[in-house]
Structure formats: C-alpha cells, structure tokens
C-alpha cells in the first residue's frame, strides 16, 4: 500500500511536465494559393497552458522551407526576450513583420508583403516554452511574367459591379445583383449586410438567393432592410468586394411622386396651350390689321372712320378668296376680292 502511494505521488509530480505547455490555435496545415504582388497574413495564434510556470520566456521562430534551397533551416524571423531578429538569405527581410507589436502576447502571426514566385514554399511557425508547438502554412504564388504555368496563372476576382433592380418602396421587392468580369474560376459570390460600415453582418429575414450566383432577392421591403450591403467574390487566389446602399421609402411618398408628376405634366400642357393660343391671337390681330389696310386701299382712303373689326371668310365659288371688313358701327362696308391671278378688284359688299 505504501509503494502504491509513493507511485501516485511520483506520477502527480511529473504530470505537469507531461502536459503540453504551448498550444497553437490553428486548423492544421493550411494551403494558400496567392497572386504575385499580393500581401498575406500567416496566422499563428497560441495559448500558454496554466501548468507552464517556467521562468524562461516565449521563443518564436518562422522558418521557410523551399525546394530551391536545400540545406540548413532558414530562420527568417524570430523573437526572444522581447527582441525581434531578422534572418538573411531568404529575400523576405524587407517584406515581413510580426502582426503584433509584441508577439509574446499570444500571437505570433506575420504579414508578408509584395509576394514573389520565389516565396513559394512551406512556412513553419514554432513557438517554444517548456515544449515546442509547430504550425505549417504551404504558400503557392502564381502569376509571374516569366512563369509557364499549366494550368494558366491564377488571378483573383476582378472588382465586381453591384446594382439593384426594382422599386425601393416599403412592401415591394428588389433584386440585388453582383457580377465580376474577371478572375480564375470558380468564383463564389456572397452577400452580407454591413453593420455600421463594417463587414461580417448577417442578412435580414426576407432575403433569398436569386437565380444567378450573384443575385440576392429581398421581398417585402421594410425599414429593417435599409443599410449597406456588400458582395464578396472569392476564388482560390483572393477576393474582391463591392458595396450597395439600400434606402426603401414609404409607399405614400411614391404615390405622391406619381401624382406630382401627373400634375406637373398637366400644368406644362396648359402653359403650352396658352402659348399657342396667344400666338394664334397675335397672328389673327396682324391679319386683321392687314385686312383693314386692304379695305382702306380699296375705297381709295375715303373711309370716314378707322377699321375696328375684321372677319375673314374663306369661300371661293370661282377660285376667289373673299375678305370682308366692317367699319365703325357697321353701316359702311367695303370688300376686296383677290383672284387667283393676283389682280385686285373692288366690288360692293354683300349683305352679312
């Protein structure tokens, strides 16, 4: 019994040493396909278990393994005792940095800028405490001008276009459309409603996937559907986004716009009719004055009173147009006939 108790105490004494002191929060080995010139974040967040009470600090190493560089491991970036050290020989010194200012605060992720085809390879993140945790990311950079790829170089989606179809009124339906004209297939489309201008929001109720991959149908529009929507187009190389603002108005306002348009059109037609009437009246007044002048000439200028009223009668029994002028109180009349051959004649005025 005493020997069993001693064995138990010995097991409890060495158990903390058997526990994993460092654990990386990763999803196993990652595989990334990227385009030349892109930037990428290689994640390596880690957790220190409570059992790790050693005095030594956390050590971090990033190692690049490429088929073109056999030989010793290439540590291109490391962290120890609150100091960051850059390696040499990898060509990454000016393009790599830790994401956090202090990688010792449970995040050893790095960012690599301006990717080149020579950056293709396996990247290992090693976090050391009492034990060592390792996380691997396989990076393939494509799209260089000197490469002869088979299949062709992958390209991330071209900047998509976003637009809407339908009436933006409460209770109506609207179709949000998104389309990218370039990028290596297959392309995946995903809509999201942004929360105060930031990504990752959920879609409100009443939204359905349209017939086309980039279509989003919203039925029975309400105030809850108002906001900014983002379309994200993704392929194995990268992604591109576009945004669209949705502001459904009340149904009554739409009816008011229609009624206002109709009333405005009627007012415009009324003004146009008034203008035409004024032009016709002016023309008739000038014709009146010209007819009176003709009547005065027909009577040899002997009319006792000026011509005050005129009327034109367009009947022509023998190809003759007849102009009648009324003077003064209507007791004196004169008439002029204009024949087709242009000769003016004076005849007695017929009775009205």
């Amino acid at each position: 019994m005493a020997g069993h108790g001693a064995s138990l105490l010995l097991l409890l004494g060495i158990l903390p040493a058997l526990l994993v002191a460092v654990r990386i929060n990763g999803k196993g080995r990652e595989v990334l396909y990227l385009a030349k010139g892109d930037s990428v974040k290689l994640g390596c967040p880690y957790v220190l278990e409570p059992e790790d009470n050693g005095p030594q600090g956390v050590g971090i190493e990033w190692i690049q393994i490429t088929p073109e560089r056999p030989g010793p491991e290439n540590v291109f970036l490391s962290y120890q005792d609150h100091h960051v050290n850059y390696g040499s020989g990898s060509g990454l010194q000016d393009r790599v940095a830790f994401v956090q200012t202090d990688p010792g605060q449970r995040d050893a992720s790095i960012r690599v800028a301006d990717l080149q085809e020579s950056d293709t390879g396996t990247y290992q993140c090693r976090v050391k405490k009492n034990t060592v945790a390792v996380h691997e990311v396989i990076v393939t950079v494509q799209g260089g001008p000197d490469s002869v790829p088979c299949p062709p170089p992958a390209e991330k989606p071209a900047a998509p276009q976003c637009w809407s179809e339908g009436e933006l009124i409460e209770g109506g339906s609207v179709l949000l459309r998104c389309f990218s004209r370039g990028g290596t297939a297959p392309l995946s489309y995903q809509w999201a409603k942004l929360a105060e201008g930031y990504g990752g929001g959920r879609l409100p109720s009443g939204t359905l996937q349209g017939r086309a991959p980039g279509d989003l149908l919203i039925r029975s529009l309400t105030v809850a559907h108002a906001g900014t929507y983002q379309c994200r187009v993704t392929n194995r190389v990268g992604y591109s986004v576009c945004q669209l603002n949705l502001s459904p108005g009340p149904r009554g306002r739409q009816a008011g716009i229609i009624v206002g348009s109709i009333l405005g059109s009627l007012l415009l037609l009324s003004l146009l009719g008034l203008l035409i009437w004024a032009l016709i009246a002016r023309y008739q007044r000038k014709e009146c004055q010209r007819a009176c002048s003709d009547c005065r000439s027909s009577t040899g200028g002997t009319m006792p009173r000026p011509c005050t009223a005129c009327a034109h009668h367009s009947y022509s029994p023998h190809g003759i147009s007849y102009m009648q002028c009324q003077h003064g109180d209507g007791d004196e009349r004169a008439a002029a006939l204009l024949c087709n051959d242009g000769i003016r004649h004076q005849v007695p005025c017929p009775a009205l």
Side-chain angles (χ1 to χ4, degrees):
M1 185 69 179
H4 180 71
S7 300
L8 181 60
L9 291 175
L10 178 62
L11 179 62
L12 292 175
I14 65 174
L15 183 59
L18 297 177
L19 293 174
V20 178
V22 179
R23 175 167 50 87
I24 295 178
N25 291 333
K27 47 186 177 181
R29 175 181 291 181
E30 293 185 71
V31 179
L32 301 178
Y33 293 90
L34 303 166
K36 180 181 177 182
D38 281 355
S39 297
V40 63
K41 175 184 175 181
L42 305 183
C44 189
Y46 60 90
V47 175
L48 297 177
E49 298 292 350
E51 291 79 5
D52 185 16
N53 296 317
Q56 68 274 22
V58 175
I60 300 171
E61 291 180 347
W62 273 94
I63 300 167
Q64 183 189 41
I65 304 172
T66 59
E68 293 78 8
R69 297 193 191 94
E73 292 181 340
N74 176 25
V75 180
F76 62 89
L77 187 63
S78 62
Y79 172 85
Q80 187 70 47
D81 297 331
H82 303 284
H83 292 287
V84 176
N85 302 306
Y86 293 87
S88 60
S90 64
L92 294 171
Q93 295 87 345
D94 298 332
R95 298 184 286 118
V96 68
F98 284 106
V99 173
Q100 299 294 334
T101 305
D102 184 6
Q105 300 299 317
R106 295 175 173 77
D107 190 359
S109 303
I110 63 172
R111 185 173 297 279
V112 183
D114 192 19
L115 286 170
Q116 304 297 316
E117 285 187 282
S118 59
D119 298 332
T120 298
T122 301
Y123 292 77
Q124 282 189 356
C125 173
R126 296 181 181 178
V127 182
K128 303 176 182 181
K129 187 70 171 174
N130 289 335
T131 57
V132 179
V134 179
H135 178 62
E136 285 190 350
V137 183
I138 299 176
V139 176
T140 301
V141 183
Q142 297 177 329
D146 300 329
S147 61
V148 185
C150 183
E155 296 180 355
K156 68 179 183 180
Q161 294 179 340
C162 291
W163 72 97
S164 64
E165 296 179 359
E167 293 184 342
L168 293 176
I169 58 174
E170 293 184 9
S173 297
V174 66
L175 181 65
L176 306 186
R177 313 204 69 176
C178 176
F179 181 71
S180 175
R181 297 184 179 274
T184 301
L187 299 179
S188 175
Y189 293 82
Q190 183 179 11
W191 281 96
K193 185 174 184 291
L194 304 187
E196 298 182 358
Y198 297 93
R202 293 183 177 181
L203 287 173
S205 60
T207 58
L208 299 171
Q209 174 66 44
R211 295 182 179 180
D215 289 356
L216 181 70
L217 178 62
I218 304 179
R219 294 178 176 176
S220 302
L221 280 171
T222 64
V223 179
H225 293 108
T228 302
Y229 290 76
Q230 176 177 281
C231 174
R232 180 185 177 108
V233 188
T234 309
N235 63 4
R236 63 187 178 90
V237 177
Y239 68 92
S240 298
V241 299
C242 63
Q243 295 182 359
L244 180 67
N245 189 52
L246 205 63
S247 301
R251 184 178 295 273
R253 187 176 69 179
Q254 189 73 12
I257 293 175
I258 296 175
V259 172
S261 300
I262 294 176
L263 293 178
S265 300
L266 293 177
L267 178 61
L268 182 61
L269 291 175
S270 300
L271 293 176
L272 184 60
L274 183 62
L275 177 62
I276 294 175
W277 178 83
L279 292 175
I280 293 175
R282 182 180 179 184
Y283 174 77
Q284 290 178 342
R285 187 163 53 251
K286 288 186 176 181
E287 286 295 311
C288 232
Q289 294 173 354
R290 185 183 64 81
C292 288
S293 176
D294 290 345
C295 290
R296 185 178 295 108
S297 301
S298 302
T299 57
T302 59
M303 290 188 302
R305 286 177 295 277
C307 179
T308 59
C310 301
H312 180 266
H313 301 273
S314 60
Y315 73 91
S316 53
H318 301 289
I320 299 175
S321 61
Y322 170 65
M323 176 73 69
Q324 179 181 356
C325 296
Q326 179 176 336
H327 307 281
D329 55 4
D331 294 335
E332 299 178 4
R333 295 182 177 87
L337 295 177
L338 182 63
C339 300
N340 289 338
D341 56 3
I343 301 176
R344 184 180 299 274
H345 303 273
Q346 181 177 351
V347 296
C349 288
L352 296 177

